[in-house]
Amino acid sequence: MSTDLFCVSRHRWMAIILLTLILTASFVLFNPGIVMTDTMARWAAVFTITDKLDIGWSMQQWLQPTMTMFMLPIGLLGLPTSVFTAVQVGYLILACSLWITMTSSRSPFWIPLTFLLPLVFVYVSFIVPDVWTFAAIIMVVGATFAIGQGRRWAPITLFFISCIILFGFRQNSLVLIPAVFAMIFTGKTIPRKIKSLLIALIVLSVVLISASPKWLGFNERTSSAAAPAWELIGMLRLAEESKIAIEPSLTLKGITDTNIAIERHSFSTIDTLLWGEDAILSSGAILVNSDELKARWIKMIIHHPFIYAHMKIRVYECMLGLCDSYIQTQVFATEPWPTLNNLVSTYNQPTGVSSAILSLGNWMGGALIVITKPFFWLPITLFVFLLNWRNYGRYDRWLIGLTASYMASFFILNQAASFRYMFPVYVIFTAYQFRFIGWLLKSMRYEHTRKSIRNNLTST
């Protein structure tokens, strides 16, 4: 099957058209885009780099700067910030169109239908790195498929751009590099020279991700001690609960109040420690005490490995949705900060169709919160994969494999119990669940028809 969209089957064309209509509808309804505080911070950096504002703290590397780099052309060209939303939706349409083209399913309507879920439909226009990462996972696989089908420069260019997005917007995605290498090396229809080029582009993308913050004027990285500090406080909390005495040199003595930090600690998020006017461990405190916090974290692990293991288990429980503080299943429209001087436009419509859809999505994320928790959909997904694995093509399997690796990366590096971090995994796995339902209904209909024919033959 050719990757040329003009050569795909009628069913695939219809699925691509339906996908385009659904994703475009999200853009139209939620234009100029739904943002969160992190998005505002990125725009503050964009307009600081372009000398339209002077917000010094925005040039700290608390947020990975790669997404800011992709937003920068909007500021340089003086375009409305809604253009970035349009680019996000366009990138999603292109990625998912490749997904429709490469899947082994002959009638891949289950892909666009997944975006009709209110929570997913809203995320299409939600300006967060997780949406881009979702599209980049699909695009890396889809571009590799297109290259294997004989296409060259267009998919190679998309592959390179998508590697920058995949490995730069969420740095825990670096864990996926070996899997992407394996996908390339095992591609029997990809020439050796092209394989070498793709590997070189992966390396180049990582180099650009590492070097670009300094080129853009960002300060030294400030968040490298955030996760260790959070884990250190988690271990101190468990030690207190278990009445285990901890030597003062392993507490937060000389940095902040250990007792208050323990009281505010959550195993699902670091936010309760970092943000607010009375933050007990502000970003500034982490910057000043970065080396000391990491040193105490390492010593705590060495001296109390069982407490560390217990802390990890508690974190993983929250990541799977087994604790009470599973967070951020809902999407809230944030108004532009006054400091941005009306340079940023955002969605904020209290009434109308879009408001109703947003409310429905948030209801789904609240009242039906269980369906967004990994402990619920992971076993279902595993069951679906076991029953349907033989029906998947090579690139379906690679897409599933990369998605599973992406989820595993959060257990290795950035622990978080927020739904949006798992958004790429949730959407891709849910889509294949929909595919399974379609396959099951088709099998049942086939079996019913076969029995009817057999009964008719018997009666005659």
Side-chain angles (χ1 to χ4, degrees), residues 66 68 91 163 186 286 292 324 363 392 408 418 460:
T66 310
T68 306
Y91 185 65
C163 282
T186 56
I286 290 178
E292 181 62 25
D324 294 333
W363 174 84
Y392 298 149
S418 172
T460 56

Side-chain angles (χ1 to χ4, degrees), residues 37-63 68 216-219 336-344:
T37 54
D38 286 0
T39 320
M40 294 296 186
R42 295 180 194 279
W43 282 123
V46 166
F47 293 118
T48 297
I49 293 171
T50 56
D51 295 326
K52 292 182 175 68
L53 298 173
D54 184 15
I55 304 177
W57 58 261
S58 70
M59 299 306 293
Q60 294 180 355
Q61 285 195 61
W62 193 263
L63 300 172
T68 306
L216 295 174
F218 280 90
N219 300 327
W337 294 341
T339 52
L340 295 180
N341 294 337
N342 298 320
L343 291 169
V344 178

Side-chain angles (χ1 to χ4, degrees), residues 35 74 84 87 100 112 131 168 180 194 196 235 238 278 309 315-316 369 409 458:
V35 305
I74 305 297
F84 189 74
V87 173
I100 290 170
V131 177
V180 178
I194 300 297
S196 299
M235 287 185 278
L238 291 176
D278 60 342
V315 169
Y316 292 158
I369 190 172
S409 71
T458 303

Side-chain angles (χ1 to χ4, degrees), residues 227-228 230-239 265-267 297 300-301 304-318 415:
W230 176 53
E231 291 194 345
L232 173 62
I233 298 170
M235 287 185 278
L236 292 171
R237 172 181 170 179
L238 291 176
H265 178 269
S266 165
F267 285 109
W297 170 66
M300 187 72 169
I301 295 173
H304 302 279
F306 291 107
I307 295 179
Y308 176 73
H310 187 192
M311 179 273 301
K312 281 292 190 182
I313 291 172
R314 291 287 295 273
V315 169
Y316 292 158
E317 285 177 350
C318 289
Q415 300 87 6

Side-chain angles (χ1 to χ4, degrees), residues 169-183:
F169 280 32
R170 285 279 176 217
Q171 280 202 311
N172 57 294
S173 300
L174 292 169
V175 173
L176 274 65
I177 289 179
V180 178
F181 279 178
M183 179 177 64

